[in-house]
Each structure stands twice: as structure tokens, then as C-alpha cells.
Amino acid sequence: MNVIVVIGSQWGDEGKGKIVDLLSENVDIVVRYQGGANAGHTIFVNGKKFVLHLIPSGIIRNDILCVIGNGVVLDPHAFLNEISLLNENGINTNNRIKILPNTHIVLNYHKIIDTLNEEQNKIGTTGKGIGPTYTDKYARIGIRAIDLFNDEYLRSMISKNIQTKNALTKNLHTDSLFDYNQILEELFLVREKLKPYIVKNAAYVAELVRIGKNILLEGAQGTLLDVDYGTYPYVTSSNPTIGGAVTGSGISSRYISQIIGVAKAYTTRVGEGPFPTELKNEIGEKLRTEGNEFGATTGRPRRCGWLDLVALKYSTLINGFKSLSLTKLDVLSSFDEIKVCTHYKIDGELIDYFPIDIPTLNKVEPIYKTFKGWRKSIRGIKNFENLPNEAIEYIRFIEDYLSVNINIISTGYERDDTIIV
Ligand code: IMP
């Protein structure tokens, strides 16, 4: 039993990068199990900022092996760029990154179709080709890492894909037509660069866990963006939740020893979709400024609001969290009052479950409990007991409401701005 899973409990951007970096101190391997270059995991170490989109956050620590799991959709260009950037910043990536053979590849046409889809049906995606690549995966017409080396299959799949995708783009009155030869040429070039990273055995990680390696499974995005459990259709196209960790890495659930949720001390969301506790006022503005809430991948301003415990309880139930890591508590330090949503009111009735349909979610009125703010900096505090009483009260309330333990509290962006409880 040596596998830890780290999962976003809100709409992504909870600060998973920092938590994975902290928890990976004692692990041998970090595996990303879903999502793609839509993610942006930020880690600050000694004043240096690293933003990782595809490569697991364990890469920042020497000696950790990083695996891109089969649940990920991999954009080869984004992947290779990220490696160059890491190398330029003094991170040794030699022999430290592996890609599972059944990982699906994001092609240029996926990115173009993503953008075209947005014109027809706006979800507010990151434009990284995520939805269209997963669509092809489930339609059984995708290209996996291993398929790049099977010329006959690759040619036949690209040919079929080009026909349907060209027909689709023609329907959308665009002249972005895809060229068979050009796509193949590009893939032949890129596959040589990817080759050293791709392992042959889809049970590669399973084998490592069996021999006793300590593994951390790193989720991207968050539970409320999950294609099954999130605010569908305003979701991403993968499963950031616990099931995705198993299917996206090839590790049996019987090895999982800890499932840790990451929650921001307030709530943010990027893109379209319902957000019951959103604050479209100066308080929301203040959260955005104090928390520097701008997308790590797209730079878009994030929508901000108070902590939503109804949503967080749902996320806790779906994933089976016993522990939560609470991030960005410091951002609340300058507020006189801090609110948390404990119930929703719908048609005059109080509910404490998270409705799953958009019309209901758009209608709910959040009911808040108000806490007194602590009004002083908490950065650099190392012991839980040294936090201001008001902050302790806030944390204890969250723990009681959710029946979880808060195991890590982040009080600043640096690795050291952390309380291990
Ligand atoms: P996609 O994953 O690019 O298809 O985008 C679908 C939805 O998920 C959009 O609302 C995005 O803003 C959101 N999303 C995707 N990745 C992230 C992330 O890493 N953090 C926060 N939101 C994300």
C-alpha cells in the first residue's frame, strides 16, 4: 500500500502543483493520470517559478521518475517545449520522464477543432485540443504514443481522420483543411523525438508499484470539471476524480493508501459554467488581486468567490477524501469578514447536496456562515497553533463540516510557506 493520490476538489487551480511537490519528497515516482496541456501546475522554489503543463510536478525534485499516464492526452510539441524550458532552468530531465504507450496524442487538427467547437458551443476551453482528442479516443480513431511507430496503422488512421475532419470543417464554412502528407511528415519528425520517452509496457507503473516503489498519482483540473461528476457540459473531457487515477495510470486501486484532496481556501473557476458562490463585486475583485487569480495556461482572469462547502462535500464524497490540503489561506488575511457557503436555497427550500444540472445550479442561492477575519499576515507560520484564533476557527469549521482532516495548510506560494499539521 504505497500509492498516494492528489486530486483537485474544486474547479481546478487549487494549487495541486505545490502540494504534489511537497508530498513527493518521499516518493520514487510521480504519475500524471489525466488531462493534458490544459493544466498549469505552478511551483515556486527558492524564488524560482516553474509552471508545468504536462510533465508531472515531481520533476522539480531530483531523483524522482515522472510518468505520463495513459489517461493523459499528450501534445508532443508542448511536451518537448516543456522539457527544453526545464533544462534551460537547470532541471535535469535525463532518463527521468516516461510516457505510457497507450497515451493518446494531441494532433494539430484537435486544437483547430477545439477552437471551431468553441465558436459553435462555448465552454470556455483552453483551446489545447483536449476535448477533440478524448473524443477520438472514445470513438476509437485516436493515435496512441505506441501507434506512432506502426506505419501502416498510422497512415490508415490519419487518412480516415482527415476525411471525416475535413468534412466537418467544411460544414463549419472554414477553409482550415487538413493535409494528409503534412500531418504524417510532422508525425514522423516528432516521433523520433518522443521515442526515448515511450515505454513499451502499458503495465509499466503497475510493475513498479508491485515491487514496492512509492508512487504519487497527480491529478489535473478538479472534481467539478470531471466529465462524469462535474458541471456538465461545462467540464473538461477527462476524469480528474479517483476513478481516473486508476484507469489513467494502470495502478490497481488495491495499492492506494491515501487520497488527498486539494482545496483553495476560497473558490475560483475559469471558463463558462455555473458557480454558485461567485462574487461579481469588489470582494471577488479583491480575491482575484490578492490571490493573483489569472490562469497559468491561458492567462485568463479567474472568476472568484467564497468557499463553497456544499460543492466541497460533494467532492469529498465522490473521491473519498479523508484528508484535505488547504491552499492560499494567506489570501484571506486582509478580509474583515470571511464567508463560507453551507447550504443552497432553491425555490425557498434549503438543500445541502450539490445539484448536477445547470438550470438548478444557476438558480441556487448560496447561504453563508460568516467568520471574523484575522487581519494579519500568516506567512511564515510553521505551527498550526501559531495561527490566529480566527483562522483556526475557520479551518476547524471546514474539517467538521466535511469530516476530514486538514493535513497541509499553504500560507504563501513558496515551498516553505507551509504548515504540516
Ligand atoms: P478544456 O479542458 O481545455 O477542454 O476546457 C474545459 C473547461 O475546463 C474550461 O472551463 C477550462 O477553463 C477548464 N479547465 C481546463 N483545464 C483547467 C485547469 O487546469 N484549471 C482550471 N480550469 C481548467
Side-chain angles (χ1 to χ4, degrees), residues 11-13 38-40 123-127 130 221 225 235-236 270-271 300:
W11 278 286
D13 307 319
N38 49 350
I123 302 286
T125 72
T126 58
I130 305 299
Q221 291 84 47
L225 286 171
V235 291
T236 192
V270 207
R300 291 180 290 178

Side-chain angles (χ1 to χ4, degrees), residues 361-374:
L361 270 175
N362 279 339
K363 236 175 22 182
V364 298
E365 178 199 337
I367 304 299
Y368 291 109
K369 176 172 168 63
T370 303
F371 290 82
K372 201 166 153 249
W374 43 95

Side-chain angles (χ1 to χ4, degrees), residues 48-50 59-62 82-94 96:
K48 214 165 185 177
K49 180 181 179 183
F50 298 92
I59 199 73
I60 305 302
R61 289 186 186 268
N62 286 334
E82 205 165 310
I83 291 182
S84 303
L85 218 72
L86 283 166
N87 294 156
E88 280 163 29
N89 281 286
I91 305 285
N92 174 17
T93 53
N94 275 346
R96 295 187 52 210

